Structures are given as structure tokens and as C-alpha cells.
Amino acid sequence: MSKMLIADDEKFMLDVLLRMMKKEGYEVFGAKDGAEGLEIASRVKPDLIITDLRMPETDGKEMIRVLREAGMNMPVIVMTAFGSIDEAVECLKLGANDFITKPFDLSLLLKRVNSLLEKAEKKEKPVKQKAKLIGESPAFINTMELAKKSAPSHIPVLLLGDTGTGKEVVAGYIHENSERSKKPFFAVNCVSIPHELIESEFFGYKKGAFTGAYEDKDGLFHAVDGGTLFIDEIGELPEDIQVKLLRFLENSKFSRVGDTKVIQADIRFIFATNKNLKTLVEKGRFRSDLYYRINIFPIYLPPLRERPEDIEILAKHFISSEKPAMKTSLDFIKMLNKHKWPGNIRELKHFIERAVLLDKDGILNEEDIPGDFFNGIMEKDISLNREIGNFNEIKTNIIRTFEYNYFTNLLDHTGWNINKASRLSGLSRKTIYQKIETLKIKKNVELT
């Protein structure tokens, strides 16, 4: 039975959490402030801690600092009503593992607790990627031939193309077909990591390098040694990190933040971008020397509008993944082929998931296409929807379709960074998490 410590100066919240976690089978311990929490933690050595950020005398930040200084590295989740990105970054730097803003869904907190405990048990071993490459069009075949040619080499690869064309899938394919296939494969998106944390995420840090660095920590460059590192949205990399990446590409050496010791690592890099890097160089936003260093073997991933022959093949693959027994009608396929798919494979996948969810008879047809899904691009615009039936049912479907599209696009745009999504949308983190759950939105990290 896992032991859990919960610290909160709000008695009602503390009692609710203690009851819920006890009901879930955890051995729970409660503390009314950070000082009591530290005393209990040193005595019972909990497997996980949930603490409020703002508490009298010893607050959550001080509690984390003391725990990490004492070498207690159990997962910590911080609760706060003051959910700014600055506070989140500060807590993470202090050693917290997760950050959740009040008020929150108790089921969401429970999922995070279970996830952290599972990761602690598995020690976060990297999972081998399984690339699924689907298509028969000449444009797609040309891309795959280049990917095959690049696989045996150790030179950097630069994947170019619109968002949603499957860059991470191709990166995984290159890795799996290389002599590094039994070594780690890690993927990182420059947009999803706060700029303040990119350097320590890449290179790791030495104890004492900054406030909250209470022990040495290895970064991605150390973890992926011998394997492949896929860096997406490379055009968003801060200039100071561009310099350090260039230096590593030249000599395969790096140092952790706050350390003078030089570490050597053997890493095969695959970069990706949906932007014109040459234009960024001309505008002074991307280093020219780094651009020429990573643009050795570029591979262009065509958008769906340049490989229309693959739309039906991809659609049927996604349908089979959702419901193997489901069939499609000819009019459904015709409607798919009319659309330009500006969001490419990701948009098609989201669309299929939505259509399968709305289907009532096991056969996808024109009536299963949400009226506003194509946002007026196709002939079947919502304003021309001729569907007649129960008013409330039709209205509910339209609202759900709008919300699904909005939150899917929002999360894709922000790289599933909930804090960024919250600031951009003006909605609370709690609302966004609730929409992810109720709309069954899935994170498709492979379709970048």
C-alpha cells in the first residue's frame, strides 16, 4: 500500500482529499501546514506528497526545498489558486513534479497521482517508438525513399513540412531503421518547454546551479547517448541555446548547467520545422551557422493536398483503429476528398475520431460529418445544414463539434502546454482539463 502525505491549511480541502485517497486504497497522512508536513515526511517517508503552495509559516515552496535538501525525492504535486506560469516554473525548479490549479476535478488529481507513482516504479524508462507510415502516392513514396537513405547515416536530418504531416512518425522510422534502433529515441518540442527550462532539460544541471537544484540531474543529451534525439519546432529554439547546440554538433561535447565538467555523448539528431528557416536567418532570428549545420539532409513531407491519393487510405486506417468493424459509404469518402485538409494528417485523424463518435449505425456516411467541421471550406457549411430533427439534439451536436474543434486546435497550437492554452483562451486550467476529458481529445504527438 502506497503512503501519501497531504498538506493544506484549508481544513475542508484537506479532509476531502484524505477521504478520497483513503477510499482509493492509499495509506494517508494529513498536515495542516508545511512544518507539520515536513515532520510527518521525515517520519513516515511517504511515496508521494500533495501540498498546497500558500500556507502560513512554512509554505509549499519551502517544504519542497527542505525535502530536496534532505535527499527525499518522492514525487510532489503542488496545489495553488495562483496559477501563473511563473509560479509553475518556480515550483518545478524547486523540485516539484506537477502543478495543479484550484479548483480542480478530483478525478484529474487522482490520474496524476497514479501516473506519478507508476513512473516512479518504472523509473521512466523510454518507450520504443513504433512508426506507422501509410501511403501509396508518388509524393509520399519519394519522402520514404529519402528517409530510408538517411537511416544508416549519422548525419543530422531536417524534416520540413506543414504542421500535421507526420514529422515525428518519420523521425521514428529513421531511428528504427538505423543501427541505433536498440538505443533510446526521445522526442522534444521546443514550443512545449518554457524558455527558462530548455537549457536544463537539454543538458541537465549540477547541484547548486540555481535555486532548487538540490542534486545533480542529467538532461536529455545524457539520457539519449547512443540513440536518436528528435527536436521539433527547431525554429523556436532560443538564441543562447542555438549557440550551445551548434557547439555540440561540432564536437559532441556539453556541460551541465552550473558545471565545468565536459561530457561527451554520441547522439544522432533529427530536426523538424514548419517554418522557413532561411527566412528566419535573414530576419536574424536563427543563426546562419546552425542553419547550414542542420540543413545537410533535408526531407520534405508533403501536405495532404499534394498526396490526395492517400486520403482514403489514411481515413480507413484511422477508422479501423477506432472501430475495426465500422464501414464507410461512398458519399463519405467523396466528402473527404473534397476537403483541402489544411491541418493535414492530424486534422484528418481528429475528424475521423469525431465522426466515429457521432455515428449511430456502424456505417460512416455524409450525415455523420459535423456541419461546421470544415469551417465553411467545403460545400457543406453549417449555415446550409439541411438536417431536420430534434432541435436540442442538433444544437448539442453543433456545440460539441465547435468545442471539439476549438480545443483540439488550441492544444495543437500550444503544444499541449496547458498554461499557454489557458492564457491564450482566457479559460482556467480546470476548464481545459475538463474539456479534454468530456470531449475525449487525444494527444497525437506523432503527427507533427
Side-chain angles (χ1 to χ4, degrees), residues 142-288:
N142 180 62
T143 297
M144 288 304 97
E145 287 178 351
L146 289 174
K148 287 179 182 178
K149 289 180 180 179
S150 71
S153 173
H154 297 289
I155 64 173
V157 172
L158 178 61
L159 302 179
L160 306 169
D162 295 348
T163 296
T165 49
K167 292 188 280 292
E168 187 170 337
V169 175
V170 175
Y173 173 85
I174 293 172
H175 171 73
E176 289 176 5
N177 287 275
S178 73
E179 58 186 40
R180 299 171 182 263
S181 59
K182 294 183 179 179
K183 297 292 185 176
F185 173 91
F186 282 95
V188 60
N189 189 310
C190 295
V191 174
S192 64
I193 305 176
H195 284 191
E196 302 92 333
L197 297 180
I198 287 182
E199 184 176 12
S200 59
E201 284 291 318
F202 276 15
F203 307 114
Y205 55 79
K206 185 176 176 59
K207 179 180 179 181
F210 50 79
T211 303
Y214 299 118
E215 61 180 357
D216 294 347
K217 182 181 179 181
D218 293 327
L220 278 171
F221 278 43
H222 185 277
V224 79
D225 186 19
T228 304
L229 180 58
F230 172 62
I231 302 181
D232 198 5
E233 303 287 0
I234 185 65
E236 301 296 331
L237 195 66
E239 186 173 356
D240 57 328
I241 309 301
Q242 290 181 32
V243 175
K244 296 187 176 183
L245 174 59
L246 176 63
R247 188 179 301 128
F248 180 86
L249 288 170
E250 291 173 343
N251 60 25
S252 299
K253 296 177 181 179
F254 71 97
S255 296
R256 289 180 293 188
V257 178
D259 198 356
T260 57
K261 180 182 177 182
V262 176
I263 302 172
Q264 187 150 7
D266 174 25
I267 303 173
R268 200 298 174 68
F269 285 93
I270 301 176
F271 303 99
T273 182
N274 59 7
K275 295 184 177 179
N276 188 322
L277 291 183
K278 195 170 184 180
T279 300
L280 294 182
V281 170
E282 293 171 353
K283 292 181 178 180
R285 293 167 53 190
F286 197 83
R287 293 182 62 91
S288 60

